[in-house]
Amino acid sequence: MKLWSGRFTKATDRLTEDFNASIAFDARMYRQDIAGSIAHAKMLARQGIIKATEKDMIVKALEEIREELEEGQLEFTVEAEDVHMNIETFLINKIGEVGKKLHTARSRNDQVALDIRLYLRDEIHEIRELILTLQETLLDLAKEHLTTIMPGYTHMQKAQPISLAHHLMAYFEMLRRDLERLDDTFKRLNYMPLGSCALAGTGFNLDREFVKQELNFDYITRNSLDGVSDRDFALEFCSFASILMMHLSRFSEEIILWSSEEFSFIDLDDAFSTGSSIMPQKKNPDLAELVRGKTGRVYGDLITLLTLMKSLPLAYNKDMQEDKEALFDAVDTVKKSLLVFAPMLRTAKFNQERMAKAARGGFTNATDLADYLVNKGMAFRDAHAVVGQAVLYCIENKLVLEELDISTYQEFSPLITEDVYKYLDVLECVNRRKVPGGPAPEVVTRALEAAGAWIRSVKDVQRK
Ligand code: ARG
């Protein structure tokens, strides 16, 4: 019998039951559902709405149900529709009449609003750890590659020399913002909605502050209609997740390019690559490709939620049951992606010679030659034109700037003297870029120290 069957004269059609049920996916929130019910029962007893002995029975039974679920001794049913009514049914089966009192001054509407928040809170904690682990991996790698010179690109054309450390730290910064966005999501998520009931609150004298404290929330929701129908936190999470995946996808794209024979900047470890069923020679960067591909599904999750919510009148509507699969998918995808990314990077071998060679070949020091002329008194715009001429000469004669002899240089500008060769050395080019935020090893070393300190500081404020 359905918990809500009182006003019905017919049994639910099997198709209705299947279509309506969410247990297949919301079962994953059973721990949160039980934690919420325990806090609610304690509060009901404190307020004299149920007896202390009844509360004890309810709490004990709920704890048993949790254990039995954990050990696989209880089975959810589609008949009981969702995680909330499945657990309530288990409770009533266990302790009978007393179990029927738990749902006093509560609705599945505020119950589900609570459960998703509790669930997402736990997941945010784990995702935060995974981001920090990836950032630590980047820091460790960057420390090893302060003087690993590589070409920096714009338009996918070689632009100026940088270091691998500097390149990796660009991703560190993206992840830093991702982590901040995640923490920001948490701030608006951590509101306790119980007491909103179906939509209009309740006449029972509830102590919402007590429930808030029991469940470690920062605040209680301020409006009962909003309390049951707000899913902004899920949207914010999926926005965070989409941006994070976009960052990982950009990184993946580079790893894929860098592992091509044409680049050969990176050699992924065998343990984090896969082969081809037909081409025996192949070693493919599948993990990076999958992260890039999965970015699409997380964007899809965000769009699902945005579209789901866009025309919903207040307050709860059953449409909102559709929020979970999208949210869960985003959570799962982000976790899996972060989980493989760190070891894939940590075990990769960077081909330092190839990278340095690539930095040397393609006029990446042309800007430096212009800067050299500026230092000798020429206006930058004139220097740009002079170097343009020298580059053209090199292209026509299949040379690079380092290879021009001094007499040829003098034809382009008498300001160019012997010291130009040292100035054009790509390592020198990187070393002199000491501007804050620049790639010079001493600047990146300071950036690494600051980044390490930042990691320690955000670990300190680890969420409960
Ligand atoms: N399974 C529902 C959901 O996920 C729980 C809330 C149902 N409330 C209701 N009045 N039908 O949204």
Side-chain angles (χ1 to χ4, degrees), residues 22 26 81-82 84 108-109 112 316 318 320-321 324:
S22 55
D26 67 14
E81 197 178 317
D82 56 22
H84 325 294
R108 277 184 295 154
N109 298 352
V112 72
Y316 179 85
K318 190 74 171 208
M320 288 160 78
Q321 180 164 289
K324 279 160 223 69

Side-chain angles (χ1 to χ4, degrees), residues 185-426:
T185 301
F186 184 89
K187 283 186 209 154
R188 280 176 293 279
L189 159 89
N190 211 23
Y191 281 72
M192 203 291 294
L194 281 191
S196 304
C197 299
L199 76 160
T202 177
F204 287 101
N205 176 28
L206 304 187
D207 186 350
R208 298 188 64 205
E209 287 292 332
F210 172 81
V211 178
K212 177 200 92 178
Q213 267 156 20
E214 277 292 290
L215 296 172
N216 252 321
F217 279 94
D218 291 325
Y219 309 99
I220 57 172
T221 54
R222 300 187 194 96
N223 176 293
S224 63
L225 293 170
D226 184 52
V228 288
S229 68
D230 164 32
R231 294 293 182 274
D232 291 5
F233 57 88
L235 282 164
E236 286 193 40
F237 177 83
C238 286
S239 308
F240 144 81
S242 294
I243 298 173
L244 170 76
M245 290 301 291
M246 178 271 287
H247 291 148
L248 295 184
S249 181
R250 292 181 75 177
F251 204 169
S252 296
E253 172 70 12
E254 297 200 312
I255 289 169
I256 294 159
L257 278 174
W258 292 356
S259 357
S260 68
E261 197 184 324
E262 287 74 8
F263 270 87
S264 297
F265 282 5
I266 193 173
D267 188 16
L268 293 176
D269 195 82
D270 278 5
F272 293 94
S273 315
T274 46
S276 156
S277 62
I278 174 170
M279 297 167 282
Q281 84 284 12
K282 296 272 277 177
K283 178 167 136 181
N284 297 326
D286 286 29
L287 297 189
E289 289 171 274
L290 278 170
V291 169
R292 189 176 59 182
K294 284 174 190 292
T295 302
R297 63 190 287 162
V298 175
Y299 290 2
D301 296 328
L302 172 62
I303 297 297
T304 299
L305 290 185
L306 284 168
T307 313
L308 176 67
M309 296 305 293
K310 76 178 268 291
S311 309
L312 291 189
L314 297 183
Y316 179 85
N317 301 270
K318 190 74 171 208
D319 314 43
M320 288 160 78
Q321 180 164 289
E322 292 289 310
D323 61 358
K324 279 160 223 69
E325 283 162 296
L327 180 65
F328 296 167
D329 184 71
V331 166
D332 292 345
T333 308
V334 161
K335 280 170 79 180
K336 280 187 213 159
S337 301
L338 286 167
L339 206 59
V340 294
F341 219 93
M344 175 182 71
L345 266 188
R346 204 181 312 117
T347 54
K349 286 199 178 56
F350 291 91
N351 189 340
Q352 305 189 29
E353 262 167 48
R354 263 303 279 222
M355 288 180 145
K357 194 156 164 253
R360 266 183 244 112
F363 300 106
T364 60
N365 47 8
T367 316
D368 292 80
L369 181 54
D371 292 350
Y372 170 91
L373 287 168
V374 169
N375 280 327
K376 298 224 168 174
M378 196 182 281
F380 180 78
R381 196 44 69 206
D382 294 332
H384 188 288
V386 167
V387 178
Q389 293 287 304
V391 167
L392 182 62
Y393 177 87
C394 285
I395 292 170
E396 282 166 354
N397 293 281
K398 296 198 167 29
L399 294 167
V400 294
L401 289 173
E402 300 89 307
E403 292 167 341
L404 290 186
D405 59 30
I406 208 69
S407 58
T408 314
Y409 264 132
Q410 295 258 316
E411 283 172 36
F412 289 109
S413 166
L415 294 176
I416 304 177
T417 51
E418 268 303 323
D419 56 354
V420 75
Y421 299 104
K422 186 163 184 322
Y423 202 87
L424 288 182
D425 179 79
V426 286

